Amino acid sequence: MKYCQGPLCHTYDTKDRKRGPKGNKVNQTRRRSSMYYGSGNFCSLNCYNDWAEEFIDRAVDYFGRLTQPRILAEDNAWRKRRTWGWGNEPAQYFFYNVATGEERNISQEQYLDNGYNLNSV
């Protein structure tokens, strides 16, 4: 079980946040075995948005704010793609260059290998 990381989670008035004896109830941060927002750190989109509103600037500054635009050129535009097989046709796996539209066939094993790229040939 883990607690929701939303800074205002305890302020939302729901039955599952109420704790304590009758007549002396208080709201507490949600505690769950699985959370579905923000990589499993927030119980709801409201809590995720509350966290982002309060901490996103600090997080971006800490991990590195972009100071120059990123550029998509022919050499860094390759993406792994697949077509789904239909009927007797097998699926096809390939690298696709977003900038040029070029395709290069690869095997299923190469497609599934996260470390495989065109430079590892």
Side-chain angles (χ1 to χ4, degrees), residues 80-98:
K80 285 183 181 178
R81 294 214 174 148
R82 72 177 285 177
T83 60
W84 296 91
W86 184 259
N88 293 333
E89 294 181 28
Q92 293 180 324
Y93 305 91
F94 55 94
F95 271 106
Y96 177 77
N97 191 305
V98 179

Side-chain angles (χ1 to χ4, degrees), residues 79-84 92-95 106-116:
R79 305 291 180 262
K80 285 183 181 178
R81 294 214 174 148
R82 72 177 285 177
T83 60
W84 296 91
Q92 293 180 324
Y93 305 91
F94 55 94
F95 271 106
I106 58 175
S107 69
Q108 181 180 8
E109 292 76 26
Q110 292 168 329
Y111 177 81
L112 296 174
D113 182 0
N114 289 333
Y116 183 81

